[in-house]
């Protein structure tokens, strides 16, 4: 037996992405960018709504067996809850070569309230740059040299495409 862990050992399917990591999937050819982006935002909203309420913060903890540890906590004083434990296995305080504190900072900065605020702002962008009934962006226009006026930009506009790419949208083989 091959000692290396293979994708199908974890997912049960060799050629599909792991269902535990939906943000790692690549968009399928012909998939609708609007529906895909709405689904990506909804996935993040759901995850944030089910996560421990914030605010989240980082803390340095020292353990005799493991050295310094970057932790992510929520709550105050005696009502503190451990959310993440990132051991450095170093006896040196703030050993930057281990990167644990940068990872802890990143986790803490993405607490549920922050994610939900970002999702709400992105939904506003969906409304502004969504598809009209004519297949055009609601907001964006460009100058037409033939019509000598501003004309609507076809959907998806560059703004919408950039929003979708922030959630992992890829053009694939389109």
């Amino acid at each position: 037996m091959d000692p290396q862990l293979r994708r199908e050992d974890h997912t049960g399917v060799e050629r599909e992405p792991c269902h535990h990591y939906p943000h790692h999937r690549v968009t399928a050819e012909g998939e609708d960018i609007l529906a895909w982006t709405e689904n990506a935002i909804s996935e993040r909203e759901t995850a944030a709504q089910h996560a421990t309420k914030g605010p989240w913060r980082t803390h340095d903890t020292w353990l005799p067996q493991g050295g310094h540890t970057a932790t992510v906590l929520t709550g105050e004083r005696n009502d503190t809850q451990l959310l993440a434990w990132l051991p450095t296995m170093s006896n040196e305080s703030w050993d930057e070569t281990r990167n644990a504190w940068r990872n802890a900072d990143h986790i803490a900065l993405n607490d549920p309230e922050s994610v939900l605020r970002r999702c709400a702002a992105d939904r506003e962008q969906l409304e502004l740059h969504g598809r009209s009934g004519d297949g055009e962006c609601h907001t964006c226009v460009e100058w037409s040299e033939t019509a000598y006026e501003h004309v609507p930009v076809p959907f998806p506009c560059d703004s919408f495409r950039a929003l979708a790419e922030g959630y992992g949208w890829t053009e694939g083989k389109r």
Side-chain angles (χ1 to χ4, degrees):
M1 175 178 236
D2 185 353
Q4 183 177 6
L5 182 65
R6 297 174 310 214
R7 171 177 275 178
E8 58 268 28
D9 295 334
H10 181 66
T11 64
V13 180
E14 182 176 3
R15 303 209 40 100
E16 292 183 16
C18 174
H19 65 280
H20 294 291
Y21 305 103
H23 58 278
H24 286 200
R25 69 185 173 101
V26 176
T27 54
E29 187 171 349
E31 188 171 6
D32 181 64
I33 189 172
L34 179 58
W36 186 93
T37 305
E38 288 173 341
N39 185 54
I41 294 171
S42 293
E43 285 176 353
R44 281 152 186 82
E45 284 173 331
T46 300
Q49 290 164 349
H50 289 97
T52 302
K53 301 293 182 222
W56 294 359
R57 67 182 189 284
T58 59
H59 182 71
D60 178 24
T61 305
W62 187 81
L63 302 172
Q65 295 82 13
H68 286 273
T69 301
T71 55
V72 179
L73 308 169
T74 189
E76 295 182 20
R77 296 185 181 90
N78 292 336
D79 190 27
T80 299
Q81 183 178 357
L82 175 67
L83 299 173
W85 181 65
L86 297 93
T88 65
M89 307 311 262
S90 172
N91 287 317
E92 299 297 323
S93 176
W94 301 101
D95 184 347
E96 291 297 326
T97 61
R98 311 280 192 217
N99 212 34
W101 286 275
R102 290 184 182 126
N103 292 339
D105 285 341
H106 177 70
I107 293 167
L109 288 171
N110 287 283
D111 70 339
E113 288 82 5
S114 298
V115 172
L116 290 171
R117 280 192 306 271
R118 181 66 208 191
C119 289
D122 289 345
R123 287 202 182 280
E124 288 180 26
Q125 291 299 311
L126 284 178
E127 285 295 316
L128 286 172
H129 296 281
R131 181 181 5 227
S132 70
D134 297 329
E136 299 161 339
C137 173
H138 289 301
T139 305
C140 296
V141 294
E142 63 187 0
W143 181 254
S144 169
E145 291 294 330
T146 56
Y148 296 106
E149 64 182 351
H150 286 96
V151 296
V153 172
F155 179 84
C157 65
D158 290 341
S159 297
F160 190 95
R161 190 177 305 281
L163 175 66
E165 288 172 357
Y167 281 90
W169 173 264
T170 59
E171 283 297 315
K173 298 178 181 176
R174 290 184 208 341

